[in-house]
């Protein structure tokens, strides 16, 4: 007898009902739904709910989360003041402090249906206390969440004392990816060199590259062309990701067109963090005030993989957040004007399959025979409906085991002529 059957679910890619058979933590069969009572230790009736692979968080900073206001609030709301606040808080970090905050937010992620997370960790700290804590946490949470760690040189590789040595030490201690922050380096030349250092280090250790790139409203910040060209010339393709790239929101049309060609040719991924960058960017503008986001729609049209990330949860750069990718997708749809029906569905893809591609999950992700049985059940008609109503997963399943459940939210309305009817905000029609 097998472990679990999920009966009568619908896949994102197909309209028909299916039964998912799961044993030993893997999908053993995905087949058309039948009325026969299945033989399994546990049978879960999906009742026509959408069965989707879990959410994937392609970009968050777990070492800084839950520190907003410590030791002071970021009053200007800029990236730069955030970095200054964090430098003060960083001096007080302990292993226990990092573990407690990061684990709590990972619990929020899992409850929201996210079972793969890529977290950046600040390595511009001679003690590397946060890095060691996060490496420990990566092992501890493995049963529920796959955690990837990026060595992130928050205060620079070339502009911070021993920045390059600390990055190399982080690679040696076992991070999954190497980061950079070229727009924060003192000079353009240092910025270019920092990208080259990060890419070479990643190649040497067989790691991914994930650089904070052009997170500034300066239309002259053009390090994404450097990163994409390095990826192209070294054949690294989708093992390389450019995160934030908010200066793209200020590039002129002629340069944008050139850049789209370079990006498409390189095969790199982009990660846009709409909630945080709507909050951080444009702070020095009068009116009109720029949105300060990646050219998401144009990059998608050019064939570039783009994912949406959450970036921060209650830290010096962003005081809000509940570690919920569907909220990010919802805001992202507005912020990037991806609001035609197919575009809203694309926003759902950007926090599932698109983000999985950033993490290089390959056949470790997706609902198909032989793959790990990680999924969520969404009581919704389709991805558009999930984004519109920000539907919470009723069940989150990790390796065939239900790890989170959320009962449907029920509101009852007393309305003239229609006393105490439930309201579910559902309205599905032709799209
Ligand atoms: Zn970031």
């Amino acid at each position: 007898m097998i472990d679990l059957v999920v009966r009568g679910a619908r896949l994102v890619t197909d309209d028909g009902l299916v039964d998912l058979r799961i044993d030993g933590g893997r999908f053993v069969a995905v087949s058309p739904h039948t009325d026969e009572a299945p033989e399994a230790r546990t049978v879960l009736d999906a009742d026509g709910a959408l069965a989707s692979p879990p959410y994937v968080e392609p970009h968050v900073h777990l070492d800084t989360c839950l520190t907003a206001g410590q030791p002071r609030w970021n009053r200007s709301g800029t990236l730069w003041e955030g970095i200054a606040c964090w430098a003060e808080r960083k001096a007080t970090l302990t292993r226990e402090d990092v573990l407690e905050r990061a684990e709590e937010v990972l619990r929020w992620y899992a409850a929201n249906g996210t079972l793969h997370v890529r977290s950046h960790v600040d390595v511009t700290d001679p003690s590397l206390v946060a890095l060691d804590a996060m490496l420990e946490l990566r092992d501890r949470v493995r049963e529920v969440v796959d955690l990837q760690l990026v060595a992130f040189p928050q205060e620079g590789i070339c502009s911070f004392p021993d920045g390059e040595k600390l990055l190399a030490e982080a690679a040696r201690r076992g991070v999954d990816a190497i980061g950079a922050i070229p727009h924060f380096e003192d000079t353009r030349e240092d910025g270019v060199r920092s990208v080259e250092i990060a890419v070479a280090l990643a190649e040497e250790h067989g790691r991914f590259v994930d650089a904070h790139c052009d997170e500034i409203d300066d239309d002259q910040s053009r390090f994404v062309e450097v990163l994409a060209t390095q990826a192209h010339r070294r054949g690294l393709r989708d093992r390389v990701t450019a995160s934030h790239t908010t200066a793209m929101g200020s590039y002129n049309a002629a340069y944008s067109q050139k850049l789209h060609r370079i990006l498409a040719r390189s095969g790199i991924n982009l990660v846009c963090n709409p909630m945080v960058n709507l909050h951080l960017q444009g702070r020095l503008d009068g009116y009109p005030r720029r949105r300060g986001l990646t050219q998401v729609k144009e990059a998608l049209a050019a064939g570039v993989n783009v994912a949406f990330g959450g970036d921060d949860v209650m830290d010096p750069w962003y005081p809000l957040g509940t570690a919920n990718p569907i909220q990010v997708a919802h805001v992202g749809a507005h912020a990037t004007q991806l609001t035609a029906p197919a575009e809203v569905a694309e926003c759902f893809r950007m926090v599932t399959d698109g983000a999985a591609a950033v993490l290089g999950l390959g056949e470790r992700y997706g609902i198909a025979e032989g793959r790990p049985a990680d999924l969520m059940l969404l009581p919704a008609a389709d991805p558009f409906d999930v984004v519109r109503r920000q539907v919470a997963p009723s069940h989150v399943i990790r390796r065939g085991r239900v790890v989170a459940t959320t009962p449907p939210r029920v509101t009852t309305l007393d309305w003239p002529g229609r006393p105490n009817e439930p309201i579910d905000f559902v309205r599905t029609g032709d799209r």
Side-chain angles (χ1 to χ4, degrees), residues 205-345:
H205 290 268
R207 313 282 196 233
F208 294 102
V209 177
D210 193 333
H212 280 62
C213 205
D214 304 317
E215 189 182 7
I216 189 167
D217 293 323
D218 174 12
D219 63 347
Q220 298 296 313
S221 186
R222 295 180 173 185
F223 295 104
V224 67
E225 68 180 20
V226 178
L227 183 62
T229 302
Q230 285 273 319
H232 173 63
R233 292 189 184 156
R234 294 170 184 251
L236 297 174
R237 299 196 63 78
D238 59 359
R239 294 184 63 77
V240 174
T241 297
S243 287
H244 293 288
T245 57
T246 62
M248 280 177 74
S250 297
Y251 293 160
N252 65 61
Y255 178 64
S256 296
Q257 191 182 49
K258 175 192 170 189
L259 182 60
H260 297 155
R261 185 182 62 86
I262 292 173
L263 290 174
R265 182 185 66 183
S266 72
I268 70 167
N269 307 292
L270 297 178
V271 173
C272 169
N273 300 305
M275 285 169 51
V276 168
N277 284 124
L278 277 181
H279 156 77
L280 288 174
Q281 306 310 130
R283 291 275 178 170
L284 305 179
D285 288 358
Y287 288 99
R289 180 165 294 164
R290 289 169 289 176
R291 297 180 186 215
L293 295 179
T294 309
Q295 295 179 12
V296 172
K297 194 179 281 204
E298 295 76 10
L300 288 169
V304 177
N305 180 49
V306 189
F308 279 141
D311 200 18
D312 297 295
V313 180
M314 303 176 77
D315 72 9
W317 296 274
Y318 185 69
L320 308 172
T322 53
N324 189 357
I326 202 60
Q327 187 186 28
V328 173
H330 188 262
V331 172
H334 295 76
T336 64
Q337 298 183 330
L338 285 169
T339 43
E343 292 173 337
V344 174

